[in-house]
Amino acid sequence: AQTVTQSQPEMSVQEAETVTLSCTYDTSENNYYLFWYKQPPSRQMILVIRQEAYKQQNATENRFSVNFQKAAKSFSLKISDSQLGDTAMYFCAFMKPQGAQKLVFGQGTRLTINP
Amino acid sequence: DVKVTQSSRYLVKRTGEKVFLECVQDMDHENMFWYRQDPGLGLRLIYFSYDVKMKEKGDIPEGYSVSREKKERFSLILESASTNQTSMYLCASSLRVGLEKLFFGSGTQLSVL
């Protein structure tokens, strides 16, 4: 079975700083998908970024980028120029490409951006 | 705009009650999911459905059942609520296959007393 581990329960940075959230996973699969989801205080989960394991290039979405290290089974999220609206819980998630889209989530990291 | 609606934002029930959590999506999605979210554990999949009247167990189905009589509606049922089912419940939906993202509802915080 796949497992996803986020070792940082909480993080806090100043506005405009860069912050990196860690995620490691365990799988015997060669092809899979990885995701970062954000859950703001409104509680609605929002997709931040996704990565396909067969793609070597790291995904980027505006201020959000990932560092995908397949051999190390690591998938960290970097948020540049952090903003107050980035304050949220962040979840890393794994999905096999076959069948229904069953996501396996990590424990989450609570990120606070301070003014 | 895409929408997944959960019927209640907060719910308080007594031990032993039968509890229904409702979820409706307006995107004609094939897949629907129920997750529970607990501090320090993240989200765990309870059940999912990939078509009307079709369902499959997730990782923690014990104590729960589901119903999907119509494509847009997916119900989670707690047959006899227990205190260890106090949790945040999140519904999600997605298109059938591929790298399509999940769309989530805003969650139901259930307290079982």
Side-chain angles (χ1 to χ4, degrees):
Chain A
Q2 287 75 29
T3 59
V4 178
T5 302
Q6 294 178 247
S7 58
Q8 304 153 311
E10 293 189 22
M11 295 188 73
S12 178
V13 298
Q14 295 299 120
E15 193 175 7
E17 289 184 349
T18 294
V19 59
T20 299
L21 309 183
S22 301
C23 173
T24 59
Y25 57 93
D26 188 24
T27 184
S28 59
E29 304 283 335
N30 187 51
N31 192 25
Y32 45 86
Y33 302 134
L34 295 165
F35 303 83
W36 279 98
Y37 276 85
K38 166 185 176 181
Q39 186 181 44
S42 66
R43 305 190 325 205
Q44 189 154 29
M45 299 275 280
I46 303 164
L47 177 66
V48 175
I49 199 165
R50 53 190 159 190
Q51 174 83 39
E52 296 166 72
Y54 68 86
K55 289 188 177 179
Q56 293 189 345
Q57 187 172 5
N58 289 325
T60 61
E61 289 285 343
N62 301 314
R63 298 182 295 107
F64 299 87
S65 62
V66 298
N67 183 4
F68 174 48
Q69 301 289 329
K70 191 174 184 180
K73 297 181 182 175
S74 171
F75 184 61
S76 60
L77 174 70
K78 185 171 85 170
I79 306 173
S80 303
D81 186 26
S82 58
Q83 301 174 358
L84 298 179
D86 295 333
T87 293
M89 281 288 288
Y90 286 82
F91 292 96
C92 179
F94 171 101
M95 187 180 80
K96 290 194 288 188
Q98 306 90 353
Q101 294 149 305
K102 294 166 59 177
L103 286 170
V104 177
F105 285 88
Q107 301 89 335
T109 296
R110 183 175 300 281
L111 175 64
T112 302
I113 310 298
N114 298 306
Chain B
D1 209 8
V2 163
K3 206 160 187 182
V4 178
T5 303
Q6 295 184 230
S7 53
S8 303
R9 192 163 174 85
Y10 297 95
L11 208 53
V12 180
K13 295 292 181 182
R14 296 285 179 189
T15 302
E17 278 193 76
K18 189 169 186 176
V19 181
F20 292 86
L21 302 183
E22 307 286 346
C23 176
V24 177
Q25 51 96 1
D26 64 359
M27 297 160 284
D28 203 34
H29 282 171
E30 290 87 358
N31 297 332
M32 295 190 76
F33 307 82
W34 276 107
Y35 285 89
R36 68 175 278 176
Q37 179 180 354
D38 300 287
L41 297 177
L43 281 74
R44 293 176 291 167
L45 182 63
I46 304 171
Y47 266 97
F48 68 98
S49 169
Y50 50 90
D51 205 345
V52 176
K53 297 190 187 293
M54 306 302 288
K55 60 186 179 185
E56 281 196 27
K57 293 179 180 179
D59 299 318
I60 51 165
E62 297 78 19
Y64 303 95
S65 62
V66 290
S67 172
R68 193 168 181 198
E69 296 295 319
K70 293 184 178 181
K71 192 175 185 180
E72 67 270 18
R73 186 180 296 270
F74 192 36
S75 303
L76 180 68
I77 303 157
L78 286 66
E79 294 290 342
S80 177
S82 64
T83 54
N84 62 13
Q85 291 179 310
T86 291
S87 186
M88 171 78 74
Y89 291 87
L90 290 167
C91 175
S93 72
S94 70
L95 288 171
R96 181 174 286 281
V97 294
L99 200 51
E100 296 296 328
K101 66 180 180 180
L102 268 64
F103 292 86
F104 284 83
S106 297
T108 296
Q109 178 63 53
L110 173 66
S111 297
V112 182
L113 307 178

